[in-house]
């Protein structure tokens, strides 16, 4: 498959060029990070909770087949219909079948990353089923035909004026009325009739409990509860990694989730779904869609621990300055950059490089995913799989050769032994040129440290070179200092 | 103790005074320091770009240059992090293991190994903002990290606070990455430069005259951003201040 590589750098540059959006986006997400810090400081056991959460998830993932079957058995006993979907296509077909069997043509739903992953809305639309997102941010993104830019706050890259324009186009409201309360009210007025008359409702799930066969949905707007309860038919779709073994495990995860995500102690609604309402139906679709394969990846399986809190996005200085859409994927930010390549290596091959490897994401992750280590490891995998653009690959190859040969290296940088003349030729051309677009170059200097040392401390250093040269050493190379 | 001095490639080429200050400082502290002339680079640029096999020659050369030392000291957190934590492009021989476990970033070496109590020659009557590179902060852990809520500590601040006359400015986001990130600085130049601009503004707004750091790569990037934006900040490596730089 020859998909085009996502141009994260280009999309990020465009995002940065828009000063008001950039400033709001950075401040808003940094504020969430700070609120998260404040919550962390209130809980002396915070790091212990992270460790517990990580251990529970690792245990659940290591025993996933057993827990999935346990869940299925208990959920079925509760009157829930459990479906298994190998991939997105199977998931969408199952949803369509459930709806078509009941003659349903309208589906209301609250946000679910899995349905985005499966690209479900277009599939259902083509079969005459109207899907309406009920969560404010997700609805804005649906109307604007964009992916969510953030796992938790999907329209965070938009200013109120942007929302006003979207609503004006689709709801006929005043494009200049950008008061957030008015906008929320416009959405409420537009959504409530749809909710009341929908044929079926759909939600995701944050956690599924194996021992009880129940699942939990955490939201702040309460639309998931409307979607789940008003129509009478509730379809919950969830990735197989949502499983936790015991109900008591939720005491760990629920405490971490909203504190990490928004910096609030708990979401407004934490709803436990235990079975269908009287006369109603409840379906759970367990979606694999690449997860089993990921579980088999020695360096990357722990990314399945993710509870989708978005803390890594909020803290990520790159994400805050590039916006979620620049990742061109369902999952953006640091967690997206380590998950997305499992869906399509070539298309998402640039994402693990959209990071400074600063490590802040790993520190905030409530389930202790070593995100920045995985970014580092993905780079190796992508290079090994020939997914690095040719020019950069060649530069690294040349640099690597040069750095292994001191005499050549010195010759390359010593044409003048000064200033920018010391930059090796490869550094002056093409790929490295962007440095100067928004930055000055380093100042010229009279001589390198190497030259200074030879002038001022020459004797011992010269001896060192000789020693190195005549000693082949354990690493097995014979010509060390010159070829 | 025989100390081997590693001077990273960009310090060698652009910030020789940082190499000189490091050497002089270690000598002042009574160390016997050698600078092997056959050195080039630690391999980090290639390895961080995923091209690990291309780091092998540099790593092998590094080992040949430094295996005979009791301690390998470098004025760069990211290089020390690479050698210690990522140096695996070559077979892990005894020599490689020795080098990896005896490599120190300068601040760690002064603080943890030499346990330097004071710098009587050092005076720096200026307000400085300390920039901890992500390599020193989150990999080498020379200071506490805001995300972890751990009890505050800072080895570089501990050393700098022994310098006469120095004052500290506290930026609003003290441990946010400055955006250098090695090849990230060119591959993602827009984001990188914007992060750098935000970083230097933060320090300037906090009243810093100087940004001081244990990593010249961050400094090179931030200085470029500040100069382009006309922000009147100066930049200095921690080795220079501790060695008694006056301005």
């Amino acid at each position: 498959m020859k998909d085009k590589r996502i141009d994260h750098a280009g999309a990020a540059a465009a995002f940065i060029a828009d000063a008001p959006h950039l400033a709001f986006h950075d401040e808003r997400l940094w504020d969430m990070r700070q609120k998260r810090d404040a919550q962390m400081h209130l809980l002396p056991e915070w790091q212990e909770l992270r460790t517990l959460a990580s251990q529970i998830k690792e245990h659940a993932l290591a025993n996933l087949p057993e827990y999935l079957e346990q869940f299925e058995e208990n959920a079925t006993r509760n009157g829930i219909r459990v479906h298994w979907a190998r991939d997105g296509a199977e998931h969408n077909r199952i949803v369509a079948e459930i709806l078509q069997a009941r003659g349903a043509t309208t589906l209301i739903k609250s946000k679910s990353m899995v349905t985005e992953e499966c690209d479900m809305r277009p599939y259902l639309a083509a079969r005459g089923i109207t899907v309406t997102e009920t969560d404010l941010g997700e609805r804005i993104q649906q109307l604007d035909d964009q992916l969510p830019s953030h796992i938790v706050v999907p329209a965070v890259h938009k200013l109120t004026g942007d929302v006003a324009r979207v609503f004006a186009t689709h709801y006929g409201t005043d494009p200049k009325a950008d008061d957030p309360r008015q906008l929320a009210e416009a959405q409420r007025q537009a959504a409530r009739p749809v909710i009341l008359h929908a044929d079926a409702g759909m939600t995701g799930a944050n956690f599924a409990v194996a021992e009880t066969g129940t699942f939990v949905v955490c939201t702040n707007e309460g639309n998931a509860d409307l979607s789940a309860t008003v129509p009478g038919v509730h379809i919950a779709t969830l990735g197989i990694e949502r499983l936790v073994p015991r109900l008591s495990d939720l005491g760990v995860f629920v405490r971490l989730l909203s504190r990490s995500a928004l910096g609030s102690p708990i979401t407004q609604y934490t709803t436990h779904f235990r079975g269908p309402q009287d006369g109603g139906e409840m379906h759970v679709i367990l979606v694999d869609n690449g997860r089993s394969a990921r579980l088999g990846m020695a360096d990357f399986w722990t990314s399945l621990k993710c509870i989708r809190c978005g803390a890594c996005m909020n803290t990520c200085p790159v994400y805050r300055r590039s916006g979620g859409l620049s990742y061109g994927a369902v999952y953006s930010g640091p967690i997206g950059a380590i998950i997305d390549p499992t869906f399509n290596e070539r298309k998402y091959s640039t994402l693990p490089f959209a990071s400074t490897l600063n490590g802040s994401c790993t520190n905030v992750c409530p389930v202790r995913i070593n995100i920045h280590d995985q970014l580092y490891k993905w780079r190796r995998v992508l290079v090994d799989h020939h997914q690095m653009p040719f020019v950069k690959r060649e530069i690294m190859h040349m640099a690597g050769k040069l750095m292994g040969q001191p005499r050549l290296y010195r010759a390359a940088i010593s044409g003048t032994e000064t200033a920018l003349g010391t930059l090796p030729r490869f550094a002056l051309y093409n790929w490295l040129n962007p440095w100067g677009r928004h930055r000055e170059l380093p100042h010229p200097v009279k001589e390198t440290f190497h030259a200074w040392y030879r002038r001022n401390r020459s004797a011992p250093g010269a001896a060192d070179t000789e020693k190195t040269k005549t000693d082949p050493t354990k690493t097995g190379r014979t010509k060390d200092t010159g070829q | 103790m025989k100390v081997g001095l590693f001077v990273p490639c960009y310090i060698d080429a652009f910030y020789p005074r940082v190499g000189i200050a490091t050497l002089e400082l270690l000598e002042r502290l009574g160390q016997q320091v050698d600078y092997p002339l056959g050195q080039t680079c630690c391999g980090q640029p290639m390895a961080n770009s995923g091209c690990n096999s291309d780091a092998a020659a540099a790593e092998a050369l590094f080992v040949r240059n430094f295996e005979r030392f009791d301690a390998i000291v470098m004025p760069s957190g990211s290089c020390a992090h690479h050698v210690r934590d990522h140096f695996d492009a070559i077979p892990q021989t005894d020599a490689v293991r020795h080098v990896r476990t005896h490599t120190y970033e300068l601040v760690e070496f002064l603080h943890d190994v030499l346990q330097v109590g004071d710098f009587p020659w050092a005076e720096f009557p200026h307000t400085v903002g300390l920039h901890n590179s992500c390599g020193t902060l989150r990999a080498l852990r020379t200071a506490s990290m805001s995300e972890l809520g751990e009890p505050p500590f800072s080895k570089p601040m501990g050393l700098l606070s022994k310098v006469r006359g120095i004052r500290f400015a506290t930026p609003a986001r003290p441990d946010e990455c400055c955006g250098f990130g090695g090849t990230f600085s060119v591959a993602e130049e827009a984001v990188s430069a914007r992060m750098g601009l935000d970083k230097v503004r933060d320090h300037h707004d906090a009243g810093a005259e100087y940004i001081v750091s244990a990593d010249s790569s961050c400094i090179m990037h931030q200085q470029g951003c500040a100069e382009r934006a006309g922000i009147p900040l100066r930049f200095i490596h921690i080795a220079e201040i501790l060695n008694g730089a006056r301005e």
Side-chain angles (χ1 to χ4, degrees):
Chain A
M1 183 147 68
K2 274 279 184 184
D3 292 283
K4 207 164 173 291
R5 291 190 181 101
I6 296 293
D7 179 15
H8 178 271
F15 186 76
I16 286 169
D18 184 338
H21 282 82
L22 172 67
F24 173 80
H25 192 256
D26 175 54
E27 291 291 337
R28 169 89 175 93
L29 295 172
W30 180 252
D31 183 57
M32 285 162 67
R33 156 73 208 277
Q34 297 229 283
K35 291 194 165 94
R36 172 245 172 232
D37 286 5
Q39 289 295 326
M40 165 184 68
H41 288 298
L42 289 173
L43 295 187
E45 67 273 35
W46 183 259
Q47 302 305 338
E48 197 183 338
L49 281 173
R50 291 177 68 216
T51 303
L52 275 172
S54 172
Q55 289 170 341
I56 294 167
K57 277 286 184 181
E58 289 190 7
H59 168 81
L61 290 166
N63 299 277
L64 197 53
E66 290 79 8
Y67 284 124
L68 283 167
E69 285 176 2
Q70 196 186 344
F71 175 82
E72 181 186 35
E73 192 185 322
N74 290 324
T76 305
R77 192 175 301 134
N78 296 338
I80 299 173
R81 304 264 295 275
V82 179
H83 311 259
W84 300 80
R86 203 181 310 269
D87 53 25
E90 217 167 272
H91 168 266
N92 294 344
R93 186 171 52 72
I94 292 167
V95 175
E97 282 172 5
I98 294 169
L99 296 176
Q100 285 162 345
R102 284 141 198 89
T105 56
T106 54
L107 176 72
I108 52 170
K109 69 182 284 284
S110 77
K111 181 164 158 291
S112 141
M113 295 305 294
V114 179
T115 58
E116 299 284 354
E117 221 181 274
C118 299
D119 208 12
M120 182 190 76
R121 285 197 309 251
Y123 179 91
L124 294 182
R127 281 150 188 81
I129 296 163
T130 307
V131 180
T132 306
E133 299 286 346
T134 57
D135 291 327
L136 177 57
E138 191 67 6
R139 178 62 173 165
I140 293 166
Q141 290 308 93
Q142 181 189 18
L143 293 174
D144 208 16
D145 196 22
Q146 285 180 337
L147 283 169
S149 78
H150 186 288
I151 297 178
V152 175
V153 278
V156 69
H157 61 292
K158 283 185 164 72
L159 297 172
T160 50
D162 303 325
V163 179
R165 276 189 292 280
V166 172
F167 281 6
T169 304
H170 296 276
Y171 293 158
T173 50
D174 177 1
K176 293 197 175 6
D178 62 356
D179 173 61
R181 272 163 307 182
Q182 275 181 290
L183 291 169
E185 188 56 29
Q187 159 66 6
R188 191 171 288 121
Q189 293 306 327
R192 285 297 152 94
V194 178
I195 292 170
L196 289 175
H197 297 104
D199 299 324
M202 187 169 204
T203 68
N206 295 84
F207 308 100
V209 182
E211 71 171 1
T212 54
T214 60
F215 59 95
V216 177
V217 181
C218 305
T219 69
N220 283 304
E221 296 172 24
N223 297 310
D225 299 276
L226 293 174
S227 298
T229 55
V230 174
V233 178
H234 176 195
I235 305 168
T237 191
L238 54 134
I240 53 175
E241 82 285 16
R242 298 293 111 204
L243 262 287
V244 296
R246 301 164 304 188
L247 196 61
S248 59
D249 297 331
L250 294 173
V252 173
F253 292 103
V254 171
R255 293 185 80 200
L256 284 167
L257 180 63
S258 193
R259 287 184 168 95
S260 297
L262 298 165
S264 62
I266 194 167
T267 45
Q268 298 293 321
Y269 302 89
T270 301
T271 307
H272 293 245
F273 291 98
R274 302 161 56 87
Q277 39 187 307
D278 289 344
E281 286 176 39
M282 184 178 282
H283 300 262
V284 166
I285 308 176
L286 297 166
V287 183
D288 187 313
N289 202 30
R291 286 162 175 77
S292 296
R294 208 181 303 151
L295 193 54
M297 301 172 88
D299 287 333
F300 305 117
W301 70 275
T302 56
S303 63
L304 288 164
K305 291 190 290 183
C306 176
I307 59 171
R308 307 284 190 260
C309 70
C312 60
M313 302 168 158
N314 303 344
T315 201
C316 179
V318 175
Y319 175 88
R320 269 189 269 113
R321 289 172 184 82
S322 52
L325 297 180
S326 65
Y327 293 77
V330 169
Y331 300 103
S332 54
I335 187 65
I338 61 171
I339 289 178
D340 296 327
T342 66
F343 291 109
N344 187 327
E345 268 192 17
R346 181 179 166 82
K347 185 175 180 185
Y348 301 119
S349 59
T350 52
L351 300 186
F353 295 89
S355 164
T356 61
L357 302 177
N358 64 77
S360 184
C361 46
T362 298
N363 280 348
V364 298
C365 178
V367 288
R368 293 193 187 273
I369 301 171
N370 57 338
I371 302 175
H372 77 297
D373 289 334
Q374 293 193 31
L375 288 167
Y376 183 85
K377 286 173 177 158
W378 264 115
R379 294 179 181 190
R380 286 190 183 182
V381 170
L382 292 165
V383 169
D384 289 347
H385 294 184
H386 309 290
Q387 298 294 2
M388 175 176 272
F390 177 77
V391 174
K392 186 176 178 186
R393 186 75 197 81
E394 277 303 293
I395 287 173
M396 287 302 145
H397 197 57
M398 288 162 60
K401 278 171 107 166
L402 196 60
M403 296 304 193
Q405 303 170 63
R407 191 166 293 174
L408 270 186
Y409 172 75
R410 283 292 150 200
I413 74 163
S414 72
T416 58
E417 278 269 56
T418 57
L420 293 174
T422 61
L423 267 176
R425 274 180 68 81
F426 70 80
L428 284 174
Y429 291 95
N430 301 321
W431 195 74
L432 289 175
N433 277 348
W435 176 277
R437 232 175 260 158
H438 296 96
R439 267 172 302 218
E440 296 302 318
L441 289 161
H443 296 187
V445 292
K446 283 208 303 285
E447 60 183 354
T448 62
F449 174 80
H450 188 269
W452 177 91
Y453 189 87
R454 285 178 68 116
R455 271 199 311 111
N456 291 278
R457 304 277 204 283
S458 59
D464 293 346
T465 314
E466 278 312 302
K467 205 175 296 173
T468 317
K469 196 174 178 177
T470 51
D471 177 13
T473 76
K474 292 118 187 150
T475 46
R477 288 170 64 101
T478 48
K479 286 201 156 193
D480 300 320
T481 53
Q483 289 183 17
Chain B
M1 181 156 44
K2 273 170 60 184
V3 174
L5 173 64
F6 174 65
V7 175
C9 41
Y10 58 93
I11 291 183
D12 178 56
F14 300 127
Y15 295 95
R17 59 188 161 87
V18 174
I20 296 167
T22 305
L23 175 65
E24 288 181 351
L25 177 60
L26 291 170
E27 287 174 346
R28 270 183 207 266
L29 294 166
Q31 299 304 303
Q32 182 200 330
V33 186
D34 278 352
Y35 166 80
L37 284 169
Q39 60 181 278
T40 57
C41 161
C42 65
Q44 184 191 193
M46 288 72 76
N48 269 15
S49 301
C51 305
N52 207 41
S53 59
D54 290 323
E59 291 183 2
L61 177 67
F62 187 95
V63 172
R64 285 198 298 280
N65 278 317
F66 289 103
E67 63 177 309
R68 65 195 171 83
F69 293 101
D70 302 314
I72 301 136
V73 179
M74 55 198 68
S76 163
S78 67
C79 299
H81 171 44
H82 176 70
V83 174
R84 192 179 295 169
D85 302 321
H86 287 152
F87 210 72
D88 62 358
I90 50 176
Q92 301 296 295
T93 61
D94 289 345
V96 173
R97 271 193 293 274
H98 171 80
V99 163
R100 292 184 65 169
T101 51
H102 291 76
T103 284
Y104 300 93
E105 179 269 327
L106 177 66
V107 167
E108 305 182 296
F109 188 68
L110 299 175
H111 187 278
D112 300 346
V113 180
L114 300 184
Q115 303 184 2
V116 182
D118 61 336
F119 300 87
W121 50 79
E123 181 176 359
F124 202 71
H126 301 282
T127 303
V128 304
L130 173 63
H131 171 71
N132 287 318
S133 71
C134 302
T136 56
L137 183 69
R138 298 194 182 86
L140 303 179
R141 307 212 47 177
T142 60
S144 52
M145 297 170 269
S146 62
E147 305 96 357
L148 293 183
E150 56 195 345
F153 72 94
S154 172
K155 295 174 188 178
M157 198 64 102
L159 298 178
L160 285 170
S161 61
K162 300 182 198 310
V163 172
R164 278 198 313 284
I166 199 165
R167 299 176 302 273
F168 297 100
T170 308
R173 302 182 187 183
D175 56 10
E176 172 121 312
C177 173
C178 73
F180 172 66
T183 55
F184 176 87
S185 64
V186 285
E188 289 267 357
E189 73 84 23
V191 179
S192 172
R194 180 65 202 202
M195 286 167 67
L197 178 63
D198 289 347
K199 172 59 70 179
V200 296
R201 276 186 181 152
D202 193 10
H203 279 269
H204 183 254
D205 292 348
E209 299 164 62
Y210 281 83
I211 292 182
V212 58
S213 178
D215 274 77
S216 290
S217 51
C218 301
I219 285 179
M220 176 169 72
H221 161 69
Q222 291 177 29
Q223 185 168 20
C225 294
E227 286 177 0
R228 179 63 61 88
I231 295 169
L233 269 170
R234 303 173 80 178
F235 294 83
I236 192 163
H237 193 280
I238 191 168
E240 297 176 87
I241 293 181
L242 297 179
N243 190 44
R246 284 291 184 269
E247 50 145 6

